[in-house]
Every structure is written in structure tokens, then in C-alpha cells.
Amino acid sequence: MTLDELHEHKLLTASLENVKPLLSLAEDRTRRAFTKGKFRSDEEATLSPEESYHLQVFNYSTTLLSTIDKAGTCQLLLRRFPEGYYDRASGITPFTWMSYHYGYYIVILNSIVDIALVLTNVALTLGFEEKKCKWHTIVKDSRVRRLKLNDVLEKLDKVITVRRELRNVHVHRGEDINLAKVLDDDLVNAYHLIDFTTRISQKANNGTDTLDPEKQALLEYGHRTTSSDLNVSIQTELDSIINVTGELFNSLYRYYNAATKIFAAAKLAERFQQSDQDK
């Protein structure tokens, strides 16, 4: 499955169709607030269980997709160091640029499983509070296992778990991303050391040092090769995540479609009952 196909998945299109009436109501409330000269509406919005269900499925499925999009944006920025932009005084170099964007990438990457767990919870109406949608709570649930969604979630987690340790030390200990470890290439450490010592020297001299042409060529080569290798690594991970997310959406859509029909049947039965009472 491609990212474009994921954007057009039935789970997204169906949930969007079902929340359109709510979007219209929100627009009307905003318009009324605007005519009163208010920035926000003070009207209370009360949603039925059906409306709340559709809205939550739409919100979390689009949030999951948006997070995958952000990971792709990190990949794009990581390989596109602005041409001619080398801020020696502030120490921004192609290597610090790559490290920064890859750090954000692994943070984004690790949130994908968390969002998938919450989406599974709301789509299957498991009934857990969002903060209680932990791995073992959702994956061990009998309905999740009966639908074999635990297998899908485990596949998704397997793709991401290889970067979890990197994310933890980066977020909780403030350590720089070890790109040599990511790529399993010790040469990256050599490039990073040259880049680091060059930055320290130039910072000490407010960026006025003239960079040795041979060292400059070496740094440019190191950036090109590292950027290219990181791009391949990220693309491999994103392809796997997109495919598994497609499997997750497929499974959830079957349940979502059935739930939508149940809501419609209940609404129809209520109308018949009301019609009989009016007679």
C-alpha cells in the first residue's frame, strides 16, 4: 500500500462522511459567535453516542495518518540541507541539521504505536480511557485478539521498537542521536568528529576561520553519503509502517462499517417506534 492509498482508505472516507453534519454544526456555531463579536462560541455542544463514535474514529485515524506524514516530512528535510546555508557562527552544519531532524523523526516514529492503540480502543468501543490505552491493556483485550488485531499491532510495534532505545536516551537523557549506530557505520563517527572539532574551532573565532578545502570536501562527502543512507533507512521503515497501518485500517473498517449499520438500524427502529406512538 502507498501513502496516497492510505489517505484514500475507506476508514477515512467513511468516517469523514459521517462527521460532515458535525462539521456543518461547528461552522454554524462559529458563524453565530462571529456575528456576536466573539472569538469562540459559548454554546454547549452535546453529541449523541453515535456522533461521538464517528468523531473519535475520524480524529484518531487522521491523527495517525498525519503523524506518518510528519515522519515523511522529517525525511524530506533531513536530506535537503539548504544550499549555501552554513551558519558557522551558530554551529549549524549539515551534520547538526541531519541529527536534529532525525531526532524529531524518531520521536514522531515512537508515537505511532500509541496513537494506533487509542484508535483501536475507540473504533472497537473497548471503553478504556485514553490514558489507560497501554500496550498490554489493548493487545490483551479479548475482542482485539478475536479479530487478530493483536498480530497487526505487534507487527507495527516490531518496526518501531528498533528505534525505541534511541528515542529514550535522546528524549530522557538529552543525548545526541548516534547516526553511526543507526546506520551501523563507524565512518559516520569519523565524519561527525571532524564536523564537531571544526564547529568548536569556528565558534571560538565567531565563524571567521577559513575552512581547509580538503576538510570541506571530506565533510561534504560525509554529509552526502550519510544523508543518502539515512534516507534509505527511513524509507524502508516508512514503507513497512504504511503497509501495516493499511492492515490496521482494513481490520478496523470492517468493525466500523458494522457499527455504523447498527447505529443506522437503531435510529430506524427509533423512528418506527415514534411513528407508532404518534398514531
Side-chain angles (χ1 to χ4, degrees):
M1 178 172 286
T2 66
L3 186 57
D4 287 341
E5 290 171 335
L6 201 57
H7 272 277
E8 297 171 357
H9 195 280
K10 290 181 290 186
L11 181 65
L12 289 159
T13 56
S15 59
L16 172 60
E17 194 63 33
N18 286 321
V19 299
K20 278 183 178 178
L22 295 178
L23 296 176
S24 297
L25 288 174
E27 288 176 4
D28 291 341
R29 288 176 59 205
T30 303
R31 196 176 294 111
R32 286 194 295 272
F34 179 74
T35 57
K36 295 177 183 177
K38 295 182 178 181
F39 181 69
R40 291 185 177 88
S41 172
D42 54 7
E43 298 177 29
E44 291 290 334
T46 303
L47 301 182
S48 68
E50 178 185 5
E51 291 170 332
S52 180
Y53 175 69
H54 291 311
L55 185 59
Q56 287 189 78
V57 171
F58 176 74
N59 279 343
Y60 286 113
S61 58
T62 52
T63 298
L64 180 54
L65 189 56
S66 173
T67 304
I68 296 172
D69 283 338
K70 288 176 187 175
T73 300
C74 290
Q75 178 193 28
L76 182 66
L77 290 171
L78 188 144
R79 68 174 185 256
R80 289 189 179 178
F81 185 76
E83 189 174 346
Y85 183 76
Y86 194 118
D87 193 342
R88 294 178 179 179
S90 66
I92 298 176
T93 69
F95 271 87
T96 57
W97 179 272
M98 286 190 296
S99 182
Y100 176 84
H101 288 295
Y102 192 81
Y104 187 59
Y105 165 74
I106 63 169
V107 171
I108 287 291
L109 197 70
N110 278 271
S111 66
I112 288 173
V113 170
D114 294 335
I115 300 167
L117 293 174
V118 179
L119 173 60
T120 300
N121 174 59
V122 299
L124 300 187
T125 58
L126 301 182
F128 297 110
E129 294 179 32
E130 182 177 326
K131 63 182 179 181
K132 293 183 179 179
C133 291
K134 306 299 183 184
W135 177 258
H136 291 293
T137 306
I138 303 299
V139 173
K140 299 294 183 183
D141 186 88
S142 58
R143 281 165 289 181
V144 172
R145 300 185 77 82
R146 187 168 62 249
L147 294 169
K148 298 188 182 302
L149 273 167
N150 57 306
D151 294 337
V152 180
L153 291 169
E154 284 167 1
K155 279 200 286 186
L156 186 60
D157 187 65
K158 187 177 180 180
V159 177
I160 291 166
T161 194
V162 294
R163 302 298 180 215
R164 192 157 289 142
E165 183 183 352
L166 274 175
R167 177 262 182 198
N168 290 342
V169 296
H170 178 59
V171 172
H172 299 298
R173 300 180 195 168
E175 293 184 14
D176 287 337
I177 300 299
N178 188 338
L179 297 180
K181 185 175 181 180
V182 172
L183 299 174
D184 192 23
D185 185 353
D186 287 338
L187 271 178
V188 177
N189 276 334
Y191 296 132
H192 183 266
L193 182 60
I194 296 170
D195 179 70
F196 178 74
T197 55
T198 302
R199 278 190 288 124
I200 294 298
S201 173
Q202 292 185 334
K203 265 195 170 184
N205 294 282
N206 294 317
T208 58
D209 276 2
T210 301
L211 197 61
D212 177 77
E214 185 178 352
K215 189 178 287 186
Q216 177 70 41
L218 187 60
L219 285 172
E220 289 176 356
Y221 175 76
H223 170 245
R224 285 197 307 273
T225 56
T226 305
S227 176
S228 176
D229 290 345
L230 282 174
N231 180 61
V232 171
S233 173
I234 291 174
Q235 191 59 57
T236 300
E237 290 169 351
L238 287 180
D239 286 344
S240 297
I241 289 168
I242 290 167
N243 282 327
V244 180
T245 302
E247 291 181 43
L248 178 66
F249 279 9
N250 287 341
S251 298
L252 293 180
Y253 175 72
R254 287 192 287 271
Y255 190 94
Y256 177 78
N257 191 41
T260 301
K261 290 178 180 178
I262 291 171
F263 278 124
K267 191 180 294 183
L268 187 61
E270 186 179 338
R271 287 176 183 169
F272 278 130
Q273 185 178 15
Q274 184 64 45
S275 177
D276 289 340
Q277 289 174 355
D278 292 343
K279 291 178 182 178

